[in-house]
Amino acid sequence: MREGSERHGFGAAAKEAHFIAAPLLTAAALSLAGVVAGADDAFRWPGITLLLLVATSMTLVASIQMSYYALQFKFTEAERKERQKARGWTEPTEDELKVILRESQIAYEDNLRYAGVVFNCGTLMLGLGIAAALVPPPCGGHYQAAWRIASAVLVLVCTIADAVWVWILLRK
C-alpha cells in the first residue's frame, strides 16, 4: 500500500460522507427546520419545507447508522482471531478463511453502497428543502423576493444536477 493511500478509495470516501458530512448536513437541516417551525409566515410552504428538512435529517442519520452496521464486516486479521478466540471457535482452514474474508468484504461493500444511496437521497432532499425554504411567502412587497427566487432556482438546478449525477452512478 502506498503512503497515504488509506485516505483514498471506497472505504475512505464512505467514511468522509457518513461520519463527517452526514452529521454536519443533519445539523444544518435541523437548524433550518427550527427556523421554519418558528417563523412559518416567512415561508411560502412552511409545512412541506419542515417535513422535507426533518425527513432529510432522519435519512442522513439512517445513512450514518447503515455505515456503522457495514463496519462490522471490515476487520483486521488480529481482530478476527480475537473474536474467534473469545467465542471459542476453531481456527478455519485456509479455504474457509478465504470464504470468510471474501464474504465479509462483499457484505462490507454492499452495505456501504446501500448507505451511500440513502446518503444521496438525504442530500437531494436537503436541496429540495433549502429551495422550498428560499421561495418567498405569497404576500406581496417582500423586498428580497427576487433574490430568494433566484437563490431557490439556483439550489433547485444544482439539486437536479446532483440527482442526474447520482442516477448515472447508480446505473453503472
Side-chain angles (χ1 to χ4, degrees):
M1 184 181 291
R2 71 180 162 81
E3 182 69 30
S5 64
E6 66 278 356
R7 294 186 312 250
H8 305 288
F10 181 63
K15 182 179 176 184
E16 298 277 329
H18 301 292
F19 302 129
I20 296 173
L24 293 173
L25 294 172
T26 299
L30 288 175
S31 296
L32 184 53
V35 171
V36 172
D40 62 350
D41 58 334
F43 301 96
R44 184 174 208 78
W45 306 296
I48 191 71
T49 301
L50 185 61
L51 182 62
L52 273 169
L53 293 169
V54 170
T56 294
S57 64
M58 294 299 100
T59 303
L60 292 169
V61 167
S63 80
I64 295 167
Q65 292 295 87
M66 292 172 80
S67 287
Y68 277 124
Y69 177 78
L71 287 177
Q72 72 179 312
F73 299 106
K74 185 76 170 176
F75 48 83
T76 64
E77 180 65 15
E79 291 168 334
R80 181 195 62 79
K81 285 183 178 182
E82 183 181 314
R83 185 183 306 168
Q84 246 179 303
K85 184 179 176 184
R87 293 183 178 169
W89 294 344
T90 60
E91 184 67 23
T93 66
E94 189 174 324
D95 288 338
E96 290 172 333
L97 183 58
K98 286 179 184 178
V99 170
I100 290 168
L101 295 176
R102 185 180 69 244
E103 288 178 355
S104 293
Q105 184 65 26
I106 290 169
Y108 170 70
E109 290 177 5
D110 285 350
N111 282 290
L112 275 186
R113 279 192 190 87
Y114 301 145
V117 169
V118 173
F119 175 81
N120 287 330
C121 289
T123 59
L124 294 174
M125 285 192 297
L126 180 60
L128 294 174
I130 291 170
L134 287 168
V135 176
C139 58
H142 203 279
Y143 68 96
Q144 290 184 347
W147 292 108
R148 285 179 67 168
I149 290 170
S151 297
V153 168
L154 177 63
V155 171
L156 195 55
V157 167
C158 291
T159 301
I160 291 168
D162 188 32
V164 169
W165 173 246
V166 168
W167 179 254
I168 290 169
L169 289 178
L170 289 175
R171 296 195 37 99
K172 284 187 176 185

